[in-house]
Amino acid sequence: MNAPPAAIGLSGSPMIGKAATPGFETATVLDGDVTAAHISALTLGLRSHLRETLPGARVAIALGKTCDLWRDRTCERRRETVAAVAAGWGWSEDLLDESIDALLAPMSRSALESLGQRVSRRKSLVGLILPGNVPGAGMHEFATALLAGCALMVKTATTEPFFFARFAQTLREVDAEVGGRVAVLNWSRDRDEITRSLRLNCDWIAAFGSDETIANLDSAEEPAAPAPGGTSALMARFGARFSGALVAAEVAGSPTALGAVDALARDISLFEQQGCLSPHHVFVESTDSGAVAEFAHALARALKRFAQRVPPPRRYGLEEAAALRRVRETARWRELGGQAVALMEGEGLGWTIVFDDRAAFTISPGYRTVTVSRVADLEDLRQRLMPVAGRIEAFAIASSSVRRESLRAFLASMDICYLCDPGAMQSPPLDWSHGGGVFMRALATSR
C-alpha cells in the first residue's frame, strides 16, 4: 500500500503535552512526539474520566450524532480525512466516500442505543492497536467499548493516522465528556518501548493487523509489571482473515443475477478490497462451466460499470502492481495452455477477474481482483474452502428465499463470522462477531 508522507500534520489536533491533566483535549501525536512516559500520563487522565459513570444512552446519542455528521459528505473533518488518505495512498476520493458510507451505515442512533442496553458496563481502559490497510477499521470495537463505559487509548497506524484522530475530534465537539474518554496517538511499529507501555497501562488490548504484526506483539518483551489496573495481556487478536461469496444455482442463471453481480462488484471494490470483509473468491453453484464463465463475464461488466462511477487508484505501489500483474500473467499463460481458465481485465490495473473452474479458495492481492469458480454442491464448496478454514470472516449469499436459511446454516457451521446478502459485506451490524467474537463476548454480553 502506498504510504502517506512521513510528516503529515493534523490541523487542530492538540498535542501530547496537554494530556497530563484531567480533562485534557483529545490527544493526537505524531511519531517522535510520543514517549512511554506520555502513555503513563495519558492513562492518569483517561482513568480520571472513569471515576464517573456515563449512561449508555448518553454515549449512544453522542456517537450517533457524530456518525450523522460524518454521513454528510461535506462534513469538514470527513473531507479532511478523505483528502489526506487520497493524497497519501493514491485512492480516489469517490472510492473513499463510498467506503466510509458503507462503514457508517450500521452506526445509527437506534442501533447504538440497542447495543448500549446490552453491553456489560465496566470502568476499564481499552487499548486499540489499529491496522493501516483500511480507513476506519476497528470502528465497531471503538463504538462498543465506549458504549460499555470504557475509555480508549487508540494507536493508529503510521500509514493511516487520519480517520480516528478526526472522528474523535468531532465526538468531543458533540459531547466533551464522551470525547474526553478517547486518546488517539501515532507511533511507528518499531518503537517497542511505547507499545509495551500501552500494554502495561491498559486493562485490555485489541490488536489489528497482519499475522506478522500480531506475532510481533505476542513475542514482544512483556512489561515487568502492569500499572495499577493494567495488564500486559492481549485481549483480542485480529490477524489476516478473508471473505468470499456464494451464488446459488437458482440465481446464477436467472434475471436476478444482474442485481447480484452489481452488488458483488460493490463489495469487491469498496476499500479497494483491502479489508477482511472484502470478497476474494466468488463460487457459483452449477453443473455447467460455460454458464459460470458467463456469470464471470457479467461480473466483469459490473466491475467496469462501478469503476466508471467510482474510479480505481490513480497509482499503485511497486509491490501491489507486481502482484496484480502476476495474477494476470499467470492466468493468461494458463488460458493459452488450454486450461479451464479465462482472464478478464479492466483498463490499467483497475480490476481483474480470473475464471478458474476448479480453483480452491484463492487469496487476492486486492484492488478489485477476484477469482470466480464453479462448485457442484455444498460439499464441493466445503472442500474448496479448506485452504482458509478457520480464517473466513464473511460470506455473501445470493440465493432464493427458500434456500437462504439452509445455506446460512451450512456456512455458519464452518465458523464464518458474518453472513449477508450481496452488497452488504462492508456494513456488518454493530454486534458483528469480528474475528470470532472474542472482543464482543467480553464487552457486549450482559452479565
Side-chain angles (χ1 to χ4, degrees):
M1 177 178 296
N2 294 300
I8 296 179
L10 301 174
S11 61
S13 300
M15 300 311 289
I16 193 73
K18 297 184 179 181
T21 57
F24 62 87
E25 296 290 315
T26 301
T28 303
V29 299
L30 298 178
D31 181 42
D33 295 319
V34 64
T35 67
H38 288 134
I39 297 292
S40 298
L42 274 171
T43 300
L44 294 175
L46 288 168
R47 290 196 184 278
S48 73
H49 283 275
L50 294 175
R51 294 178 191 138
E52 296 185 14
T53 300
L54 277 184
R58 178 174 172 181
V59 178
I61 289 170
L63 282 169
K65 287 182 177 179
T66 303
C67 289
D68 285 343
L69 289 169
W70 272 64
R71 284 191 188 91
D72 181 356
R73 291 191 178 187
T74 67
C75 170
E76 180 181 1
R77 299 214 187 279
R78 172 169 168 162
R79 292 266 47 90
E80 290 173 353
T81 300
V82 168
V85 176
W89 295 5
W91 291 12
S92 74
E93 292 198 12
D94 289 336
L95 184 280
L96 286 163
D97 274 322
E98 287 271 343
S99 300
I100 291 174
D101 286 347
L103 172 72
L104 297 177
M107 308 278 171
S108 67
R109 176 172 166 177
S110 61
L112 290 160
E113 288 176 339
S114 176
L115 183 58
Q117 293 169 1
R118 291 182 280 124
V119 293
S120 180
R121 305 293 297 173
R122 62 193 73 220
K123 295 182 178 181
S124 301
L125 177 56
V126 175
L128 297 180
I129 300 175
L130 299 179
N133 59 330
V134 171
M139 186 66 180
H140 285 64
E141 288 73 21
F142 179 96
T144 302
L146 283 178
L147 289 167
C150 300
L152 291 173
M153 197 176 295
V154 181
K155 189 270 185 207
T156 57
T158 53
T159 55
E160 205 291 271
F162 311 111
F163 181 93
F164 280 100
R166 290 187 170 93
F167 187 87
Q169 288 174 321
T170 309
L171 179 62
R172 185 171 181 83
E173 291 162 2
V174 168
D175 188 316
E177 179 59 31
V178 176
R181 293 178 173 227
V182 179
V184 181
L185 306 100
N186 188 267
W187 65 85
S188 64
R189 69 173 68 186
D190 58 356
R191 300 187 67 191
D192 293 337
E193 78 285 0
I194 306 178
T195 304
R196 284 196 297 272
S197 182
L198 178 74
R199 293 180 64 176
L200 183 150
N201 283 283
C202 290
D203 299 308
W204 296 333
I205 295 288
F208 302 73
S210 66
D211 290 341
E212 179 184 3
T213 297
I214 301 302
N216 288 341
L217 284 170
D218 280 335
S219 63
E221 179 185 348
E222 296 288 343
T231 178
S232 63
L234 288 177
M235 173 189 176
R237 301 162 178 82
F238 299 94
R241 295 175 70 86
F242 313 98
S243 295
L246 171 65
V247 179
E250 66 272 17
V251 171
S254 75
T256 59
L258 180 60
V261 295
D262 281 332
L264 286 171
R266 182 174 185 271
D267 286 331
I268 293 164
S269 301
L270 292 185
F271 293 108
E272 289 302 345
Q273 210 182 6
Q274 296 299 303
C276 67
L277 295 168
S278 298
H280 291 240
H281 202 135
V282 177
F283 295 94
V284 182
E285 186 184 40
S286 179
T287 58
D288 182 354
S289 294
V292 178
E294 179 49 43
F295 182 90
H297 281 284
L299 181 57
R301 292 190 291 272
L303 283 170
K304 180 179 180 179
R305 288 192 295 271
F306 192 89
Q308 289 170 341
R309 183 172 66 85
V310 182
R314 61 182 180 272
R315 68 174 187 271
Y316 299 83
L318 182 61
E319 291 183 5
E320 290 90 345
L324 294 171
R325 289 193 171 95
R326 184 160 53 249
V327 168
R328 289 184 172 192
E329 293 309 310
T330 299
R332 200 183 321 277
W333 281 106
R334 291 181 65 201
E335 185 177 7
L336 288 171
Q339 298 185 37
V341 173
L343 173 66
M344 291 143 257
E345 53 191 320
E347 183 179 351
L349 299 175
W351 56 266
T352 305
I353 288 183
V354 177
F355 166 68
D356 189 343
D357 190 42
R358 298 299 302 167
F361 191 101
T362 302
I363 297 172
S364 162
Y367 298 100
R368 314 188 196 192
T369 302
V370 69
T371 301
V372 177
S373 299
R374 178 181 64 88
V375 289
D377 51 34
L378 295 183
E379 185 54 38
D380 187 12
L381 176 62
R382 186 192 302 276
Q383 295 303 314
R384 306 288 191 94
L385 297 180
M386 289 304 293
V388 288
R391 294 191 296 160
I392 305 176
E393 189 63 39
F395 237 76
I397 307 169
S399 71
S400 65
S401 58
V402 173
R403 296 188 64 200
R404 184 171 293 118
E405 290 308 312
S406 64
L407 293 176
R408 282 176 175 257
F410 169 79
L411 289 166
S413 71
M414 302 181 68
D415 296 325
I416 297 175
C417 303
Y418 174 46
L419 301 170
C420 64
D421 294 335
M425 295 190 73
Q426 306 290 351
S427 302
L430 280 172
D431 58 359
W432 161 42
S433 295
H434 186 188
V438 174
F439 192 94
M440 288 298 176
R441 283 195 298 272
L443 291 183
T445 303
S446 297
R447 292 184 289 191

